[in-house]
Amino acid sequence: MKKKIRKIILVVVVVLVVLVVAVVLGIDRIAKTGTEVGATYALGVPTTLDSADIGILQGRTELQQLQVNNPEGFDSPHFLKLNRGALTVSLGSLTSDLVEVPEFTLEGIEVNLEKKGAQSNYQVILDNLKKFESQGESEPAKKETKEGKRFVIRETLIKDVKVRVKAAPLGATLIDVTVPIDEIRLRDVGSDSNKGVLVSELTGTILKAIILATAEKGGNLIPKDVLGDLDGALKSLASLKDVGASLSVGVGEAAKEIGAGVQQATQQLQEGTRKAAEEAQKASEQLQEGAKKAADDVAGKIGDLLKKPEDKKPE
């Protein structure tokens, strides 16, 4: 009898283990597919994720190696690449329609912004994002709204970001600069209502935050026409405030809250250019005045040398 009970217990344990493994693998696959589909849907270019690991017992979910492809016709192998991401969330929360996430961390992000003449990869991506935001009640939107989970993320920490800007205006020298950003913080994403945000909406929110931070940190390095493009594109998109989010760039006490556009960075660059031009003009005028005075002095001395002896006044 005891042996029979032990066998029954063993069978039950094995079944439970198999079920847990199946559930975990199923959740991982669902999370991976949902992330890829949501990001691809929002940005309009293929997006892939190597793996999603839902830690049921640890209350922590990890994402590895997310890549957003570059639009066709541009040189960089990717538009955006994420090394790893992690969010703290319980299994109980994951089973509900609205998932509350205390913290979402993204680490090691590379972004390539390219402009060739009048064409740019960021304009293609942001135009796709604009179409996504303005789709209203289209069938794909209804499907994602019905099937996708929504999130409220209290703290989004984006660390170790490098944004490379390559611009080759017509007839001008290639500009290639990298803007490093230590830390970006987004707070209360999806808190504007009880709806939260879908994965696709979260993707667009994070991209806008990175672009805003890039303009803030690299406004004096990035070409004025690129800043103008980004400013115009962001003005046509929903602001971060529309999803209840606030944004700050920096670390600790150095963190600085920034607004919903890159217009300030553009104005700062233009103001710097104007001041530089004024200073150059002033220096040129001073140089000309100095040269004129020097020429007058030399002419006076030459005139003295050329005077006849009888013209010179006796000392």
Side-chain angles (χ1 to χ4, degrees):
M1 185 68 179
K2 289 182 179 179
K3 289 183 178 180
K4 188 175 181 180
I5 292 173
R6 282 200 296 266
K7 285 183 180 179
I8 292 172
I9 293 173
L10 181 61
V11 169
V12 171
V13 170
V14 170
V15 170
L16 288 174
V17 169
V18 171
L19 286 173
V20 169
V21 171
V23 168
V24 170
L25 291 177
I27 291 175
D28 287 354
R29 185 175 63 254
I30 291 170
K32 178 180 182 297
T33 303
T35 301
E36 291 175 335
V37 171
T40 298
Y41 184 30
L43 304 181
V45 291
T47 301
T48 57
L49 178 66
D50 276 7
S51 66
D53 181 12
I54 309 297
I56 295 177
L57 299 178
Q58 299 87 349
R60 184 178 177 85
T61 297
E62 294 198 358
L63 311 175
Q64 298 289 339
Q65 299 296 322
L66 181 139
Q67 178 168 303
V68 178
N69 287 5
N70 221 356
E72 292 184 7
F74 295 93
D75 301 331
S76 303
H78 55 265
F79 173 74
L80 182 148
K81 187 175 182 180
L82 165 68
N83 185 27
R84 62 181 295 273
L87 61 151
T88 55
V89 63
S90 66
L91 179 61
S93 180
L94 282 173
T95 58
S96 65
D97 293 333
L98 184 63
V99 181
E100 179 88 16
V101 179
E103 185 177 83
F104 184 25
T105 302
L106 302 170
E107 230 176 320
I109 295 180
E110 298 174 7
V111 180
N112 292 294
L113 304 181
E114 293 183 61
K115 182 167 186 175
K116 296 180 176 180
Q119 306 297 318
S120 62
N121 66 341
Y122 53 82
Q123 194 66 57
V124 174
I125 296 288
L126 294 175
D127 281 348
N128 290 333
L129 184 57
K130 181 180 178 180
K131 291 177 185 177
F132 161 73
E133 290 187 347
S134 61
Q135 66 190 332
E137 293 299 315
S138 67
E139 287 305 315
K142 289 179 181 177
K143 183 178 179 182
E144 190 193 17
T145 301
K146 183 179 179 181
E147 298 179 0
K149 287 188 176 298
R150 290 184 171 272
F151 299 84
V152 175
I153 305 174
R154 295 304 174 187
E155 182 88 10
T156 303
L157 177 59
I158 307 170
K159 299 169 66 177
D160 187 21
V161 181
K162 290 181 175 61
V163 181
R164 186 180 183 186
V165 181
K166 290 178 66 178
L170 292 173
T173 306
L174 173 68
I175 297 170
D176 190 343
V177 297
T178 298
V179 180
I181 305 169
D182 295 329
E183 184 177 293
I184 304 169
R185 286 182 182 269
L186 276 166
R187 291 181 175 84
D188 297 326
V189 175
S191 64
D192 61 319
S193 67
N194 294 323
K195 295 190 306 180
V197 292
L198 295 163
V199 169
S200 53
E201 295 168 328
L202 176 60
T203 302
T205 298
I206 290 171
L207 177 58
K208 284 183 275 190
I210 291 173
I211 290 176
L212 286 164
T214 302
E216 171 68 24
K217 296 287 286 186
N220 58 338
L221 299 174
I222 301 171
K224 185 169 63 176
D225 59 334
V226 174
L227 281 174
D229 291 345
L230 295 174
D231 184 46
L234 286 176
K235 283 179 178 177
S236 68
L237 298 172
S239 72
L240 298 181
K241 291 181 179 179
D242 291 340
V243 293
S246 63
L247 173 66
S248 61
V249 180
V251 180
E253 294 181 357
K256 179 181 179 182
E257 295 245 351
I258 63 177
V262 298
Q263 187 175 14
Q264 183 179 1
T266 308
Q267 289 172 345
Q268 288 174 347
L269 181 61
Q270 291 173 339
E271 180 66 17
T273 303
R274 184 185 65 79
K275 287 183 177 179
E278 289 177 352
E279 289 174 1
Q281 177 66 26
K282 186 177 180 180
S284 175
E285 291 173 355
Q286 289 174 344
L287 182 61
Q288 291 174 355
E289 181 65 25
K292 181 177 179 299
K293 185 177 180 182
D296 289 343
D297 290 344
V298 170
K301 290 178 180 179
I302 292 174
D304 289 342
L305 291 173
L306 293 177
K307 285 182 180 179
K308 293 180 181 179
E310 57 271 21
D311 294 334
K312 294 183 179 179
K313 295 181 180 179
E315 295 182 1

